Every structure is written in structure tokens, then in C-alpha cells.
Amino acid sequence: MKRNLFEVIVVGTMSAGKSTFINALIGTELLHSANQATTATITRIHDKDNKSFFSGSAYNYDGKLVEKSRNINAEILKKWNKAPEIKKIDIDGDIQTIKNTRAELVIYDLPGPNNSQNDNHELLTMEVINDKEYGLILYLLNATQFGINDDRLLLEKIYNTIKQDTKKEIIFILNKADEIDTEKELSIVQLIKNVEQYLNEIGFKSPNIITISAKQALLFQKLLNSDVFSRSEKYDLSVLLESPEFLFKGASSLSRKNKKLAQSFIQTNLSKEDNEILANNKSIKEVKEYYYNTGFGEICYLLQNKIDHTFNKIKKV
């Protein structure tokens, strides 16, 4: 019997912060992140609820298994990404922020197509966008430099693909919004309006835009999971926990109804029993709330809602 899958494509240029975003979503620092292109393969992350570790398999361009790892980590994935014979990587593990109620969530991490040193990145990205039976694209934009030519060229190609299929949806994730100086530059509301106008020019009408800080969200996830922090991460986290004014609160262009539903979803997932003290006298509940407020609350709500809603309809047919 074929399993129901809800496939989500995460795509963006090299500066958008895709790896940090996916790490913050799945709940652990699994994908290697750096300032240069770090993804050279198609990586699929299959959500396996309650699985306590991540395992992985790497395949070549003929679809043959090259290597397996029962307990995969960022270093192994970094090595596989650098191997020219490897095209696809499959990873199984628990994406903690989502529950597989009606379907199994699969997240695709695609190569940054604007790598001038490797034209194959764009070919791999467009292969998935054009051919896969996915239900949703999460397109990451860098809030500090949106509108660059690399983004526009890729978005135009994606628009020409999905406009022919009304079942395909795209949500725009404006990452690094916490790096915008709202006192000296522009407000988050104005930033969303500017991005909306930019997307309208390409052809996307009434786009859903969510502002986030994947960096802050990942720090909170690592704290919740008792992960190891680097020295700079320890400093950044201490600043956030000691100085609430630095905590980023995401915003979006979602409808008022969806915002209320997202808030209800967040409150449902903030257990009153999570009173364990983690750091700086912060409880699990407080840190979870910080995580959701980075913009990931609305992202998690939308993903969960689409999984539930899409496959509920299929079941009724």
C-alpha cells in the first residue's frame, strides 16, 4: 500500500539561509550551513514520528545506493554533498514540529541554483520543481538583499512552472528579518509591502509572506534539545535570553483568520506542564514561545494544516 506523502520543496539562493531554516524546522542542527554553497545534492528528509535518531542513504545518478549511515550528522552530510557521484540523499527522522496525522511530511532541500561554479545546481533544482508531485514550495528570500538578479531569474522560472498547475502553492519566507534595523531603515510591515510589490511584478498575486529569524529559531531549538553550542552561539543565546528587546517577532501577510488560527495552534502546543528551567530562569514553555514567535509558529501551523486538510479531502473522495 502506497503511503500518503506531503512533499514540500525548500528553495532559495545561496544567501537565503536554507540550511539554517530546515535545521530550525526539524529540530536539530543536521544540515551543514556556511556562507558559501553547502548543498550540491537533492536531499529528502522524511518525517518519522517518534524516531529518536536520523539515518541516511546516499544514491548516485543511476539511483544505486552508494553509502548508508544509521546515525547521520552534519559532517557526514557535508562529505556526501561534496562527493560528485552522489545525486540524492534520503534522511529519516522525527521532524519534531510536525505530526504525521494524515500523511508523511517530506522536505526537499535543493541546491542553491546561483552557484557560478556549478551549473548542475540549477539543473537539479529545476528537475524537482518541474517533475515532482509536491504540494508546496517554501521559497526563502534574504530580507537584507531581496530583489537581486539571481532571485528574480529563479522566481520567474518557478512562476512559469506553477502557473500551469493550480494545485501547486508557494509561500515566501523572508529570512534574516531580524537583521533589519527597524529604527534606521524600515518597519517590518513596510518590508513586507516592498516584497509583495516585488513579487507582484514577477507575476505572483496576493503572495503569502512570512518574516522569520531562522538563526534565533535554531538557537531556541538547540536549547530545547540540549544540543552543543559553539562559543559564539552561547553568546548570542545569552543576549537573547537576557535582553528581550532583541527577540524577533515575526510578521506575515496572512489573512486575519489565518493569523488567529495560527495563534490558537501555537497556544495548543505550549504545554502548561513544561515548567522545567533551562537557562537564565527560562522554562521550556517560554523557550517554545520564543521559537514560535520567530515566525516559525505560522510556518508550522501552515504545514500542519495543509497536511491535515489535503489528505482529509482525499479520504472523503
Side-chain angles (χ1 to χ4, degrees), residues 188-207:
I188 295 298
V189 172
Q190 187 58 51
L191 176 63
I192 291 176
K193 289 181 179 178
N194 291 350
V195 174
E196 186 173 12
Q197 181 179 349
Y198 164 68
L199 294 171
N200 284 339
E201 292 172 0
I202 296 173
F204 296 102
K205 304 304 179 185
S206 302

Side-chain angles (χ1 to χ4, degrees), residues 8 47 57 99 276 311:
V8 177
D47 185 14
S57 302
K99 297 300 179 186
E276 181 183 342
F311 289 96

Side-chain angles (χ1 to χ4, degrees), residues 1 13 18 20 33 58 61 65 77 94 96 127 142 161 195 220 229 231 253 278 280 312 314:
M1 182 177 177
T13 57
K18 286 192 298 94
T20 303
S33 59
Y61 280 75
L65 180 66
L77 284 176
D94 189 1
Q96 300 175 11
E127 176 185 321
N142 184 339
T161 295
V195 174
F220 298 138
F229 289 88
R231 182 178 298 178
S253 63
L278 297 174
N280 295 68
N312 271 333
I314 289 176

Side-chain angles (χ1 to χ4, degrees), residues 137-248:
I137 294 175
L138 297 180
Y139 190 97
L140 263 71
L141 290 156
N142 184 339
T144 65
Q145 56 181 45
F146 82 89
I148 59 175
N149 285 338
D150 288 334
D151 260 322
R152 181 176 284 271
L153 290 171
L154 178 56
L155 283 167
E156 287 173 350
K157 291 179 180 179
I158 292 175
Y159 174 73
N160 288 330
T161 295
I162 66 174
K163 73 177 181 180
Q164 302 171 29
D165 188 346
T166 57
K167 294 180 181 179
K168 297 291 187 288
E169 291 188 65
I170 183 167
I171 294 174
F172 297 94
I173 310 296
L174 198 54
N175 191 24
K176 305 184 183 181
D178 56 310
E179 297 179 23
I180 300 295
D181 191 332
T182 55
E183 294 181 357
K184 294 182 179 180
E185 298 178 56
L186 71 167
S187 68
I188 295 298
V189 172
Q190 187 58 51
L191 176 63
I192 291 176
K193 289 181 179 178
N194 291 350
V195 174
E196 186 173 12
Q197 181 179 349
Y198 164 68
L199 294 171
N200 284 339
E201 292 172 0
I202 296 173
F204 296 102
K205 304 304 179 185
S206 302
N208 280 332
I209 303 166
I210 302 175
T211 62
I212 68 164
S213 171
K215 180 181 177 181
Q216 289 190 15
L218 179 57
L219 289 175
F220 298 138
Q221 282 283 35
K222 292 183 72 172
L223 179 59
L224 288 168
N225 294 324
S226 302
D227 283 351
V228 177
F229 289 88
S230 67
R231 182 178 298 178
S232 62
E233 286 176 330
K234 287 180 181 178
Y235 173 77
D236 290 341
L237 181 64
S238 67
V239 170
L240 292 175
L241 296 180
E242 293 172 6
S243 307
E245 67 269 23
F246 292 113
L247 292 168
F248 178 71

Side-chain angles (χ1 to χ4, degrees), residues 7-11 39-44 87-90 106-111 113 120-138 154 157-158 161-162 165 168:
E7 297 177 310
V8 177
I9 295 174
V10 179
V11 65
T39 302
T41 63
I42 298 170
T43 301
R44 299 181 296 193
K87 179 184 180 181
K88 294 181 180 179
I89 298 171
D90 275 337
V106 182
I107 295 176
Y108 281 71
D109 180 23
L110 303 184
N120 193 46
H121 285 200
E122 182 174 348
L123 293 174
L124 288 173
T125 294
M126 294 311 299
E127 176 185 321
V128 176
I129 290 173
N130 289 329
D131 295 338
K132 289 305 296 182
E133 294 297 323
Y134 56 88
L136 179 67
I137 294 175
L138 297 180
L154 178 56
K157 291 179 180 179
I158 292 175
T161 295
I162 66 174
D165 188 346
K168 297 291 187 288

